[in-house]
Amino acid sequence: MELGRAGLAWAAALLLAALGAQAAAGDFDPYRVLGVGRSSSQADIKKAYKRLAREWHPDKNKDPGAEDKFIQISKAYEILSNEEKRANFDRYGDAGESQGYSQHQHRQFHHFHEGFYFDESFFHFPFNSERRDTSDEKYLLHFSHYINEIVPDSFKKPYLIKITSDWCFSCIHIEPVWKEVAQELEALGVGIGVVHAGYERRLAHHLGAHSTPSLLGLINGKITFFHNAVIRENLRQFVENLLPGNLVEKITDKNYIRFLSNWKKENKPHVLLFDHMPVVPLLYKLIAFAYRDYLSFGYVYVGLRGTEKLSSQYNINVYTPTMMIFKEHIDRPADVVQARDMKKQLIDDFLSQNKFLMVARLTNQRLFQELCPVKKSHRQRKHCVILLTGEGDKFAEAYEAFLTFAVANTKDTLKFVHIYNDRQPEFADALLMDEEKYRGKSAVVILERRNNAGKIAYKTLEEAWQGSKEDNFILLDLLDQLRTDPGLLSSETVLADLNDELAPMFLIRWLYSMLDYISDCWDSLFHSNCDSSDTRDSPPSEKEETAAKTEKNDASFSKESNSRIPKKGFVEVTELTDINYNSNLVRLRPGHMNVVLILSNSTKTMLLQKFALEVYTFTGSSSLHFSFLSLDKHREWLEYLLEFAQDAAPIPNQYDKHFLERDYTGYVLALNGHKKYFCLFKPHRSGDEGGTLGSCEDYDSSLHTEARGKSSCSPGSRFIKNKLHKLSFWMERLLEGSLQRFYIPSWPALD
């Protein structure tokens, strides 16, 4: 009987506490928080929310109460932007859910029932997010942090992200598994993130998460959702499946010589991991992904028959994991690390010290900048010794002698590299003033980069490099003098960026040409009305299409750049509207892309003229379509898309009073409707540089449009046209497949 009375007293206490909290909830007025009236439209509410969110975002506002204020603003907008919740609040003073409670009210209720020794942990329902998510606090993501840091970092490591919210029973259910897996994967090098959908609505919407809990993976900027039972094995396998399948090659006695000998072709050191595990460990795959631009990775299962010769040759302890780095010499490793417990930090330290060959070949500008960094001060001078040579057996002896010299003299302040003259002719010509003297021979240059614009100071050895003892003494003497006399580098010049030798330019161009040819043949077999002359004579529709005609025999288009011969004498550019949006983008055939120019009414004529000139040589490709989008009509659609391209669109802590006037004219987007990604061209904004025509007359004479306005030679018109300067080079990279891709969950409605 006494126990029953105690139970009733306990229930009554809880009921009174709940009623007290419910009454306190009535103090929360979303209209007052946003500063709008009860009759305000959704547009007014949205405008007020944006203004307040920018002002009180914790990343921007350092006020101690900014976070609480931002949470209130988000909750107020969540209620008023939902018509059902808004109606409930208008009728009953409550939105029908407890998310309207402030943190203060939570604390009041928490302390009240704690006085009776019953807190949330008694019921195992830790609804209070402050207590439930303490382990997730360090993983919480904000929109700006995600765009500016997490997305770029996903090109180095995959991320596992959880979207959660308050009052979510399923979120509570998966929390123990999530906590265990997050700690385990983070130690291996996987990035972990948590998004609170109640406080970061914009980021949750950006990720395409429409319910909680949701789990997703992020790699190379692309999002993949997890659809399986939330258990440890499934989550580990999900992360492993995000990684490319060709990161690590299985190595045996039969293929190890071929694998290690590829150092010259790939211009990378090669890494071998010897372990007794039958499958490649996840840690090793993650390391291979992080260093894939610098190193090639192989895995040797020492318990497998067919690896005995390999283990014996390098004296491997089969009971201890061993990692070896091989550079120019495959008969012996350049460095070795061995440990019973191979931790990520140990491997990172080991690999970061061995990212490059002893005498790496400069194949692109990025490699040049890493190996030969710009000097930061007189005490931090770094010099590069470059062998300018050729390919083939004729130059092998000079290269081997240079390699031997480099191995004996490499220091932190001195790097040795080589370059092929025929692959980097501009680079070689800038450094070798007397070309005849070094024709068919190798030369050595000592240089120091002065700035990122290409300025260098250098000295070229007077005689060609043959690798003799005399050559070694001369070079060694110069390097000794350089330590005390920086003025030894008496010559200066400005170097152009190196060609990217590894870009698959020629093969992909040929492949596109063949695909276009096959497509044309297929069309000609099944369509009898494919006479290009008829098409050329018929003008496009005035309502939907703007035809920017360009003369076929224009001198500005060389035969070399015209790999896809245009079929028409003009460029058909269709305006992207809500009528043709689905057919021109959402339901675009696989393999096809729509290249969209962003313009305004005031810049329409000039930008279309320049756009036609830049893309004309690509109109022969049947997989490309060209459109333009009015910024005056569809600014919100564009800004939503640009949120998926880091640093392209403004984010909450970067808004300013000129946000609505932000100029996107001249942006070009290549949209792949089927695969849901786009590539972005940002307008060229500098002055009249090399490659830009100097006068309007020369420019306009090569271009003819049906609706041609008055030609203007004002600086303003030149500035607008110059926004699309080098667009043709961007188009080349688009067809090569070398542009960065920004994936989106789904295409937004144009209206």
Side-chain angles (χ1 to χ4, degrees):
M1 190 72 175
E2 291 180 1
L3 187 62
R5 290 176 180 173
L8 289 173
W10 168 80
L14 280 183
L15 180 61
L16 288 172
L19 290 173
Q22 184 76 16
D27 295 337
F28 180 79
D29 186 353
Y31 292 103
R32 188 181 70 245
V33 171
L34 294 184
V36 296
R38 289 182 175 267
S39 60
S40 298
S41 64
Q42 283 295 332
D44 293 336
I45 292 171
K46 186 175 183 180
K47 186 177 180 180
Y49 166 71
K50 282 187 174 182
R51 176 178 56 80
L52 291 171
R54 295 168 197 163
E55 179 183 351
W56 290 98
H57 197 283
D59 287 350
K60 181 179 178 181
N61 195 318
K62 301 306 179 183
D63 189 288
E67 186 172 356
D68 287 342
K69 182 69 174 178
F70 184 77
I71 291 171
Q72 286 192 359
I73 293 167
S74 299
K75 289 181 177 179
Y77 181 67
E78 184 178 358
I79 294 173
L80 298 185
S81 61
N82 184 302
E83 292 297 342
E84 183 179 351
K85 293 179 181 179
R86 183 179 180 181
N88 285 338
F89 183 85
D90 290 342
R91 289 185 190 131
Y92 312 116
D94 182 26
E97 56 180 38
S98 52
Q99 287 192 4
Y101 293 174
S102 67
Q103 288 185 337
H104 175 69
Q105 291 157 357
H106 269 298
R107 285 194 289 268
Q108 280 186 331
F109 181 70
H110 169 70
H111 291 311
F112 179 84
H113 63 71
E114 268 193 345
F116 290 90
Y117 303 99
F118 297 107
D119 65 356
E120 291 112 340
S121 60
F122 178 83
F123 300 99
H124 303 287
F125 290 124
F127 287 121
N128 190 319
S129 61
E130 284 189 38
R131 300 189 57 177
R132 175 165 55 89
D133 294 335
T134 51
S135 61
D136 286 343
E137 283 182 0
K138 64 177 181 178
Y139 304 129
L140 286 175
L141 301 179
H142 297 297
F143 186 84
S144 59
H145 178 226
Y146 173 83
I147 293 295
N148 293 327
E149 298 182 31
I150 302 301
V151 172
D153 200 40
S154 71
F155 289 84
K156 299 176 184 177
K157 65 181 180 183
Y159 273 80
L160 183 64
I161 299 175
K162 176 181 74 171
I163 290 87
T164 185
S165 64
D166 291 337
W167 306 92
C168 169
F169 286 91
S170 298
C171 301
I172 300 168
H173 180 71
I174 69 170
E175 195 164 317
V177 178
W178 165 261
K179 184 177 180 180
E180 176 190 358
V181 173
Q183 290 177 348
E184 179 184 349
L185 293 179
E186 186 179 28
L188 298 179
V190 178
I192 304 297
V194 175
V195 178
H196 196 293
Y199 305 152
E200 286 291 337
R201 288 168 50 87
R202 186 183 184 193
L203 179 53
H205 179 68
H206 177 92
L207 295 172
H210 303 297
S211 62
T212 57
S214 292
L215 298 176
L216 58 90
L218 174 71
I219 189 168
N220 290 333
K222 184 177 180 180
I223 294 169
T224 303
F225 276 87
F226 174 80
H227 301 289
N228 213 330
V230 183
I231 58 176
R232 175 182 175 275
E233 292 74 16
N234 289 348
L235 288 172
R236 279 182 60 97
Q237 191 61 48
F238 172 69
V239 171
E240 192 164 350
N241 290 341
L242 292 175
L243 299 167
N246 58 348
L247 286 172
V248 182
E249 185 175 349
K250 296 287 185 68
I251 303 299
T252 64
D253 293 341
K254 295 181 179 180
N255 63 354
Y256 81 96
I257 293 180
R258 175 194 58 77
F259 173 75
L260 296 178
S261 299
N262 279 340
W263 68 266
K264 193 167 190 177
K265 178 182 176 183
E266 298 177 3
N267 195 36
K268 296 177 181 178
H270 282 55
V271 186
L272 284 181
L273 176 66
F274 296 81
D275 205 345
H276 57 274
M277 301 291 291
V279 296
V280 182
L282 177 58
L283 171 62
Y284 196 53
K285 289 184 178 181
L286 292 166
I287 291 289
F289 179 75
Y291 288 91
R292 67 192 184 282
D293 291 337
Y294 301 97
L295 304 163
S296 292
F297 291 83
Y299 181 75
V300 182
Y301 171 34
V302 293
L304 180 68
R305 181 178 298 176
T307 61
E308 297 88 351
K309 177 182 175 182
L310 187 56
S311 301
S312 175
Q313 178 173 346
Y314 298 117
N315 195 25
I316 300 299
N317 181 351
V318 297
Y319 300 105
T320 305
T322 304
M323 185 174 287
M324 292 184 169
I325 292 272
F326 293 84
K327 297 186 178 180
E328 284 88 346
H329 301 107
I330 67 171
D331 58 331
R332 61 184 184 275
D335 206 352
V336 182
V337 65
Q338 197 174 57
R340 290 191 178 276
D341 190 11
M342 199 76 80
K343 296 288 188 180
K344 180 181 182 299
Q345 186 61 51
L346 175 66
I347 299 176
D348 278 335
D349 293 341
F350 177 69
L351 296 182
S352 60
Q353 297 172 11
N354 293 281
K355 288 165 58 176
F356 306 105
L357 297 169
M358 295 302 298
V359 182
R361 180 162 62 89
L362 299 181
T363 55
N364 53 51
Q365 187 66 17
R366 178 188 61 81
L367 197 58
F368 181 41
Q369 291 172 348
E370 287 199 57
L371 288 169
C372 306
V374 174
K375 72 164 188 175
K376 296 180 180 179
S377 68
H378 291 292
R379 294 182 179 180
Q380 295 179 318
R381 290 182 180 275
K382 292 192 175 182
H383 299 98
C384 261
V385 185
I386 304 179
L387 175 69
L388 291 89
T389 186
E391 301 179 70
D393 297 336
K394 177 181 177 182
F395 301 93
E397 185 177 349
Y399 169 78
E400 289 296 335
F402 187 76
L403 174 60
T404 302
F405 184 91
V407 171
N409 294 281
T410 295
K411 303 174 183 177
D412 289 340
T413 58
L414 199 61
K415 295 293 183 183
F416 292 84
V417 297
H418 73 286
I419 202 166
Y420 287 154
N421 295 342
D422 56 340
R423 299 197 184 189
Q424 304 289 348
E426 292 184 11
F427 189 93
D429 292 346
L431 298 176
L432 301 178
M433 303 302 294
D434 188 354
E435 296 181 24
E436 292 298 327
K437 181 179 180 180
Y438 299 100
R439 188 175 298 279
K441 300 178 182 179
S442 300
V444 172
V445 176
I446 307 172
L447 66 78
E448 179 184 64
R449 291 180 62 221
R450 293 291 172 84
N451 59 34
N452 289 317
K455 184 179 180 181
I456 65 163
Y458 71 99
K459 181 176 180 59
T460 305
L461 268 64
E462 294 182 1
E463 300 298 328
W465 174 268
Q466 298 177 344
S468 63
K469 288 186 178 180
E470 184 180 356
D471 290 342
N472 278 262
F473 284 132
I474 293 173
L475 180 56
L476 189 59
D477 183 55
L478 283 174
L479 294 176
D480 285 339
Q481 293 181 48
L482 193 59
R483 287 189 299 177
T484 57
D485 182 17
L488 187 67
L489 306 181
S490 54
S491 302
E492 290 189 346
T493 189
V494 176
L495 296 176
D497 287 355
L498 273 70
N499 301 323
D500 189 351
E501 298 178 19
L502 304 180
M505 183 181 301
F506 302 107
L507 177 62
I508 292 181
R509 284 180 180 173
W510 175 84
L511 180 61
Y512 269 101
S513 298
M514 286 299 298
L515 289 174
D516 289 341
Y517 176 76
I518 294 171
S519 177
D520 292 342
C521 292
W522 181 269
D523 290 342
S524 65
L525 286 174
F526 291 95
H527 301 281
S528 60
N529 57 345
C530 290
D531 186 359
S532 60
S533 62
D534 295 340
T535 307
R536 190 182 298 112
D537 294 336
S538 60
S541 170
E542 292 182 359
K543 290 184 178 179
E544 292 188 358
E545 298 180 337
T546 301
K549 298 182 177 179
T550 310
E551 296 292 344
K552 284 186 179 180
N553 58 355
D554 193 319
S556 63
F557 300 122
S558 63
K559 292 182 179 179
E560 290 78 11
S561 66
N562 197 5
S563 58
R564 294 155 295 275
I565 301 175
K567 302 179 179 66
K568 303 178 182 180
F570 56 88
V571 182
E572 293 184 2
V573 188
T574 306
E575 180 174 6
L576 201 60
T577 65
D578 54 350
I579 298 175
N580 61 16
Y581 180 67
N582 282 337
S583 59
N584 286 6
L585 174 60
V586 180
R587 297 175 185 169
L588 205 60
R589 285 191 294 171
H592 286 235
M593 298 191 77
N594 197 342
V595 181
V596 181
L597 167 68
I598 308 300
L599 49 74
S600 62
N601 291 334
S602 59
T603 61
K604 182 175 181 179
T605 302
M606 287 176 285
L607 283 180
L608 278 176
Q609 289 176 352
K610 180 63 173 175
F611 184 68
L613 179 67
E614 293 285 329
V615 305
Y616 176 72
T617 54
F618 303 92
T619 57
S621 174
S622 59
S623 62
L624 289 179
H625 310 271
F626 300 96
S627 303
F628 70 88
L629 184 82
S630 172
L631 186 63
D632 304 314
K633 301 176 184 176
H634 306 295
R635 175 180 286 271
E636 283 196 13
W637 180 89
L638 176 64
E639 288 171 352
Y640 172 81
L641 228 62
L642 292 181
E643 288 180 0
F644 292 86
Q646 65 264 24
D647 299 330
I651 50 182
N653 64 336
Q654 293 176 335
Y655 283 114
D656 56 29
K657 63 181 180 181
H658 302 297
F659 167 68
L660 293 177
E661 291 79 34
R662 188 178 177 93
D663 184 17
Y664 293 113
T665 57
Y667 277 55
V668 178
L669 293 84
L671 309 170
N672 188 314
H674 178 68
K675 292 190 175 181
K676 296 185 179 65
Y677 72 79
F678 66 93
C679 302
L680 176 65
F681 171 85
K682 296 182 185 179
H684 180 78
R685 297 186 182 278
S686 62
D688 191 19
E689 299 177 358
T692 305
L693 295 173
S695 68
C696 293
E697 289 80 13
D698 293 337
Y699 176 81
D700 289 334
S701 65
S702 64
L703 211 59
H704 303 277
T705 60
E706 288 188 350
R708 183 171 177 175
K710 293 182 180 180
S711 177
S712 171
C713 290
S714 65
S717 65
R718 275 201 301 270
F719 170 75
I720 292 172
K721 291 176 180 177
N722 282 347
K723 285 186 173 186
L724 299 181
H725 178 55
K726 296 185 178 180
L727 176 62
S728 58
F729 296 103
W730 182 83
M731 291 292 298
E732 286 285 355
R733 292 187 61 200
L734 175 67
L735 294 186
E736 290 165 13
S738 59
L739 291 175
Q740 183 176 356
R741 298 176 178 180
F742 303 104
Y743 289 85
I744 66 171
S746 61
W747 294 110
L750 191 61
D751 55 356

